[in-house]
Amino acid sequence: MPGCDYYPIRSMQLIYFTGSMFLVLSVFQVLDTVLPVMNKSTGGECTVYRAKFSSITDTDILNAMNKLGEPNKNEALSVDARQELDLRIGCAFTRFQTKYFQGKYGNLDSSLISFGPCQTPTLGFCVERHDKIQSFKPETYWVLQVKVSRGQEQSLTLDWDRVRIFDREIAQMFLNITKAAREAQVDSVSKKEKAKQRPQALNTVEMLRVASSALGMGPQHTMQIAERLYTQGYISYPRTETTHYPENFDLKGTLRQQANNPFWADLVKALLAEGVNRPRKGTDAGDHPPITPMRSATEAELGSDAWRLYEYITRHFIATISYDCKYLQTTIYFSVGCERFTTTCKEVISPGFTEIMPWQGIPNEETFQPCEKGDKFGVDEMKLLEKQTSPPDYLTEAELITLMEKHGIGTDASIPVHINNVCQRNYVTVESGRRLKPTSLGIVLVHGYYKIDQELVLPTIRSALEKQLNLIAQGKANFQQVLDHTLDIFKRKFHYFVDSIAGMDELMEVSFSPLAATGKPLSRCGKCHRFMKYIQAKPSRLHCSHCDDTYSLPQNGTIKLYKELRCPLDDFELVLWSSGSRGKSYPLCPYCYNHAPFRDMKKGMGCNECTHPTCQHSLSMLGIAQCVECENGVMVLDSTSGPKWKMSCNKCNVIVHFFENAHRVRVAAETCEVCDAALVLVDFNKAKTPLPADQTQHTGCVFCDPIFQDLVEIKHATMRHPMHRGGQGRRQGRSRGRGKRVNPKKPKDKMAALAAYFV
């Protein structure tokens, strides 16, 4: 249900289901399309309703259906404004930065030099911590350490009330004064019963923090797992800012569902018998209830990571309705000479919620032997410890999430996306302990923003914008006015950024190499006939330093020279792109790939899509039949794949392996009379021929010829439909063939089965 945009109930009603504010806009898009063709209400009453629920259970859905409300236009406008602003601002800055810097530097190692109103301040937090680490200068300080004991009792290490001294001579003076005393006297003994509070109800930000710091799971991965647990009905909706249970929330009913889980059954039953504790009062953000388990589960059901997250969510829920952890804190105050010292120990009285969350427990400490004011302890050891201040460590994901929440950068739903983006763009790397260390590229970008316009990287302007967007959602601000005002501000900032880009470029020059000095010679340019350099760093490309031209290449594969063959159109040497021995490969001309030579071609097409009528590498010469999977693709012979021959679709990932160990495979000029696919001429060695009667050569249709049927194997795709005839002849690069029907593989899940049914 939550995946539906609308669900028709009779001809007069439209019920909208959603689990997130981010989908609210969809209902108005649906309404714009549906309302004009719906039956008109005679009485003028409302015919469109919205059902709000936070978990996929019968009870919640029935309650939602019984409490239908109208879609909120203001919330939709707020989301619309955020999307439009982020898209327009991000695209403008990203396009300019990417084209400017990738056209000058070869080792940026990032396919996109992106900017985002939330993404960039997120990176700014990481670089700010890096700068503090780099500029940190350690200072030496001294601590006076004293150990005392009484009789045969274990010695106690005392904490100095002055904590530390940064002047050695003064620290030495205190040591000399204190050394004169041979005993430590008890000035007072304090005993206080204290409580460690149970946690508040769980919201998204806290879940992300704990998953990163305690479970070692990144925010994006955590949200993907949480969403899957939600859609499977194991937890409530995982995107919420609320930490307060609604007054009508069934705490006991939710707890009873865990009574038979072997991991915490005893604790749950004891809590039910004793009576659940009233949860701490939290914040009601007005969105969705806190994250809670909706039914019991085991590790065998969920799998490793999903179980660990589910276990934490369940333990956290049980802890919120458990009792506080109570302990006795004993503090003894000593005087040694004229200096004051203390020592403290904690003794658990009632573990409370720490039984279900043992990592939150009070550490076991050896309790003090009884003592009173005036008791004497002998001084066992007294010395000065020399130490140094240490720099802060790099931000952890949990710390970054806290900073983003504090400064209003992103929402509970978008925070994981922003953190994932700065990692994917190679602006930061995730080190051990899930600490985020900025790369050279990330550091230079942030320093460049500070140099040109610090508001581009500081959280202030985004935080102010989020407040305006929230006012739109509340109906207190005008959508168009906020949109126009913000766009005007960033338009001015963009023009100033473009005019001042030399300031950032100066920093880039120090950290990165120009294109001409990067890469290794690979293929010859068709203009100057000098070698172009292959730059492997993302995005991979070829650069001719003599012509000062750069040619983009297909990504996520390997590039090598293709037999020193040249394109008949522009004399550029061809290169071969390959995704590996089990994947696709095809030759391409660097110039044609960037400048489509024919009207029916587009930029980014290789030789397997080229419609040149006579080139031996083109689609016109090597195309065989229509793809068995997609509508527009053509199966093209991979002439470099022998002896494990194959043909692959020039649009999708379908690969057909055939004629293994054949000496030679060629595409004939003739076509099949049955399916219009091009015939294939195959030569085998006499010792390895699979052809009948030890024949070594045969020409036929890959799909229709009975001799070829056992020599063809389709991989890497589930067949959804038979190939069908259509279009022009193969020599125009438009051939479509029809082969044997292939039964679809068994769907892996119900959704796959549903999709296969409708196909």
Side-chain angles (χ1 to χ4, degrees):
M1 283 291 189
C4 298
D5 281 330
Y6 64 95
Y7 182 76
I9 308 291
R10 300 190 301 269
S11 62
M12 293 297 294
Q13 291 183 325
L14 182 72
I15 309 295
Y16 176 66
F17 293 91
T18 180
S20 167
M21 182 186 294
F22 281 88
L23 294 180
V24 175
L25 184 60
S26 299
V27 73
F28 290 97
Q29 292 174 333
V30 171
L31 292 180
D32 290 341
T33 304
V34 174
L35 281 177
V37 296
M38 286 180 61
N39 294 334
K40 304 300 180 183
S41 171
T42 55
E45 68 272 12
C46 178
T47 57
V48 178
Y49 301 92
R50 181 186 177 200
K52 294 183 180 181
F53 55 90
S54 299
S55 64
I56 308 176
T57 62
D58 293 345
T59 303
D60 271 28
I61 293 177
L62 288 173
N63 287 338
M65 296 293 288
N66 290 327
K67 298 177 182 178
L68 298 175
E70 294 184 31
N72 191 317
K73 183 68 173 179
N74 291 327
E75 290 179 355
L77 289 173
S78 175
V79 174
D80 194 17
R82 181 182 286 106
Q83 290 177 340
E84 183 171 347
L85 289 171
D86 287 351
L87 180 64
R88 293 177 68 172
I89 295 168
C91 284
F93 280 88
T94 297
R95 179 178 174 82
F96 172 72
Q97 288 181 167
T98 302
K99 291 178 71 66
Y100 186 88
F101 291 120
Q102 285 187 352
K104 294 191 68 175
Y105 303 101
N107 56 341
L108 296 176
D109 200 24
S110 180
S111 56
L112 200 66
I113 315 299
S114 63
F115 173 93
C118 288
Q119 174 198 129
T120 303
T122 301
L123 174 61
F125 290 131
C126 300
V127 176
E128 182 183 13
R129 177 61 64 88
H130 169 82
D131 291 342
K132 288 181 179 179
I133 294 171
Q134 296 301 310
S135 61
F136 183 83
K137 294 181 179 179
E139 293 184 76
T140 304
Y141 65 91
W142 289 264
V143 175
L144 182 57
Q145 185 185 81
V146 175
K147 291 184 179 181
V148 299
S149 63
R150 183 176 60 176
Q152 300 299 317
E153 297 175 10
Q154 186 176 354
S155 64
L156 303 175
T157 301
L158 308 184
D159 298 319
W160 192 19
D161 280 8
R162 297 183 189 274
V163 184
R164 59 186 180 180
I165 297 293
F166 285 90
D167 190 309
R168 179 178 175 80
E169 292 183 0
I170 295 176
Q172 186 65 45
M173 178 192 71
F174 283 120
L175 176 63
N176 295 337
I177 294 172
T178 311
K179 269 186 176 180
R182 297 185 177 181
E183 290 183 325
Q185 179 176 307
V186 177
D187 291 338
S188 63
V189 178
S190 169
K191 291 190 176 183
K192 291 183 180 179
E193 186 176 308
K194 294 190 173 184
K196 185 173 184 178
Q197 283 191 313
R198 61 201 179 280
Q200 288 184 327
L202 185 64
N203 66 2
T204 304
V205 170
E206 182 63 18
M207 178 185 70
L208 296 176
R209 273 197 290 253
V210 173
S212 176
S213 59
L215 305 181
M217 294 162 54
Q220 183 84 341
H221 181 52
T222 300
M223 283 309 303
Q224 290 171 349
I225 293 174
E227 287 165 358
R228 188 166 70 248
L229 289 173
Y230 163 67
T231 56
Q232 292 172 345
Y234 288 104
I235 65 172
S236 61
Y237 191 67
R239 297 182 188 270
T240 177
E241 298 177 5
T242 296
T243 58
H244 179 74
Y245 294 115
E247 294 300 323
N248 60 350
F249 192 87
D250 188 6
L251 295 171
K252 287 187 178 180
T254 306
L255 185 62
R256 284 194 195 98
Q257 292 180 338
Q258 304 296 331
N260 295 319
N261 193 301
F263 290 92
W264 40 73
D266 293 340
L267 291 173
V268 170
K269 289 175 181 176
L271 187 58
L272 287 169
E274 186 179 359
V276 299
N277 192 16
R278 186 178 180 84
R280 287 174 57 195
K281 188 173 182 180
T283 302
D284 185 359
D287 48 0
H288 295 275
I291 305 168
T292 56
M294 300 311 298
R295 60 187 174 103
S296 185
T298 63
E299 185 174 3
E301 288 179 65
L302 303 180
S304 177
D305 283 352
W307 163 252
R308 291 195 299 142
L309 185 61
Y310 172 84
E311 180 186 14
Y312 166 70
I313 292 171
T314 305
R315 288 183 181 273
H316 189 106
F317 165 71
I318 298 171
T320 61
I321 53 177
S322 299
Y323 292 85
D324 291 346
C325 172
K326 296 181 179 178
Y327 61 94
L328 181 67
Q329 180 172 293
T330 304
T331 305
I332 306 176
Y333 299 87
F334 289 90
S335 61
V336 183
C338 60
E339 290 302 295
R340 301 290 181 265
F341 297 84
T342 59
T343 186
T344 302
C345 83
K346 298 173 183 177
E347 182 181 357
V348 176
I349 299 173
S350 172
F353 78 93
T354 61
E355 283 190 291
I356 193 68
M357 299 178 80
W359 61 90
Q360 295 274 15
I362 304 296
N364 292 324
E365 297 177 351
E366 189 168 337
T367 56
F368 296 146
Q369 293 298 323
C371 63
E372 297 178 352
K373 180 179 179 180
D375 287 357
K376 307 288 185 180
F377 283 69
V379 177
D380 298 335
E381 183 182 12
M382 186 182 299
K383 61 182 179 180
L384 277 181
L385 298 179
E386 182 179 320
K387 297 184 178 182
Q388 279 193 330
T389 56
S390 56
D393 210 337
Y394 285 103
L395 284 177
T396 63
E397 286 174 331
E399 292 169 336
L400 179 58
I401 291 168
T402 301
L403 284 171
M404 294 174 71
E405 182 189 32
K406 176 183 176 182
H407 292 280
I409 301 301
T411 64
D412 55 345
S414 63
I415 283 175
V417 177
H418 302 316
I419 296 176
N420 186 60
N421 282 343
V422 298
C423 295
Q424 285 191 333
R425 302 287 187 262
N426 195 35
Y427 295 162
V428 300
T429 57
V430 182
E431 306 292 317
S432 61
R434 301 210 66 84
R435 295 192 177 274
L436 302 173
K437 184 178 180 181
T439 63
S440 296
L441 179 58
I443 295 167
V444 168
L445 283 174
V446 170
H447 289 174
Y449 295 134
Y450 271 113
K451 193 173 182 179
I452 297 172
D453 181 357
Q454 62 180 8
E455 284 192 339
L456 292 175
V457 72
L458 290 175
T460 49
I461 193 168
R462 181 63 190 196
S463 181
L465 174 59
E466 286 293 340
K467 291 177 182 177
Q468 292 296 312
L469 295 173
N470 289 334
L471 289 176
I472 293 176
Q474 297 166 17
K476 297 179 181 179
N478 181 272
F479 162 79
Q480 198 61 47
Q481 289 178 353
V482 172
L483 186 68
D484 292 343
H485 178 67
T486 306
L487 286 175
D488 182 62
I489 290 174
F490 274 95
K491 182 179 179 181
R492 296 171 186 271
K493 288 183 175 295
F494 176 73
H495 287 304
Y496 182 75
F497 180 75
V498 171
D499 293 340
S500 309
I501 194 64
M504 184 181 285
D505 198 22
E506 290 173 358
L507 302 177
M508 286 280 187
E509 287 178 349
V510 176
S511 301
F512 301 102
S513 304
L515 281 173
T518 310
K520 57 182 181 181
L522 179 68
S523 65
R524 291 186 183 274
C525 171
K527 298 178 181 178
C528 65
H529 301 289
R530 290 179 170 86
F531 276 104
M532 297 188 292
K533 286 188 175 181
Y534 172 46
I535 300 166
Q536 288 183 287
K538 292 182 180 179
S540 57
R541 52 207 189 276
L542 286 168
H543 178 71
C544 178
S545 55
H546 185 265
C547 302
D548 196 22
D549 287 332
T550 303
Y551 302 96
S552 56
L553 297 170
Q555 304 299 304
N556 304 318
T558 59
I559 293 284
K560 61 182 181 180
L561 189 63
Y562 185 53
K563 305 178 182 178
E564 298 185 355
L565 298 173
R566 294 178 181 268
C567 176
L569 295 174
D570 47 49
D571 211 31
F572 274 72
E573 282 189 330
L574 303 181
V575 295
L576 182 70
W577 177 87
S578 174
S579 61
S581 59
R582 297 184 178 181
K584 295 168 60 174
S585 61
Y586 58 84
L588 63 103
C589 164
Y591 189 85
C592 294
Y593 187 81
N594 289 268
H595 307 87
F598 302 110
R599 290 182 179 179
D600 56 353
M601 292 180 62
K602 297 178 182 179
K603 180 180 178 180
M605 289 185 170
C607 295
N608 62 343
E609 296 182 82
C610 178
T611 53
H612 192 291
T614 59
C615 177
Q616 60 179 322
H617 315 293
S618 69
L619 168 67
S620 302
M621 300 299 290
L622 298 179
I624 295 178
Q626 180 191 357
C627 176
V628 295
E629 175 73 12
C630 66
E631 296 294 334
N632 300 317
V634 177
M635 304 301 294
V636 181
L637 173 66
D638 184 350
S639 57
T640 68
S641 58
K644 296 184 177 181
W645 297 92
K646 60 187 176 185
M647 62 178 175
S648 58
C649 176
N650 59 7
K651 297 291 185 184
C652 70
N653 293 327
V654 172
I655 297 174
V656 175
H657 295 267
F658 50 18
F659 314 129
E660 187 170 352
N661 296 321
H663 174 65
R664 190 178 182 186
V665 177
R666 288 170 291 173
V667 180
E670 298 80 15
T671 58
C672 175
E673 295 179 356
V674 177
C675 69
D676 199 31
L679 301 184
V680 177
L681 174 63
V682 185
D683 289 332
F684 282 99
N685 292 324
K686 190 169 185 178
K688 295 183 177 181
T689 180
L691 301 176
D694 292 332
Q695 297 179 40
T696 59
Q697 190 176 90
H698 183 74
T699 301
C701 176
V702 172
F703 306 104
C704 303
D705 195 313
I707 295 177
F708 282 163
Q709 279 188 352
D710 294 333
L711 305 179
V712 177
E713 181 182 7
I714 302 175
K715 288 187 175 181
H716 204 66
T718 301
M719 301 303 105
R720 297 187 300 181
H721 53 77
M723 291 174 290
H724 57 275
R725 185 175 180 174
Q728 303 168 348
R730 181 183 62 87
R731 289 298 163 184
Q732 283 72 39
R734 299 293 183 186
S735 173
R736 302 291 184 266
R738 182 183 68 233
K740 59 181 180 180
R741 178 183 292 271
V742 183
N743 293 326
K745 296 178 181 177
K746 185 178 180 180
K748 293 183 179 179
D749 53 44
K750 294 180 180 178
M751 291 303 295
L754 189 63
Y757 172 79
F758 282 109
V759 168

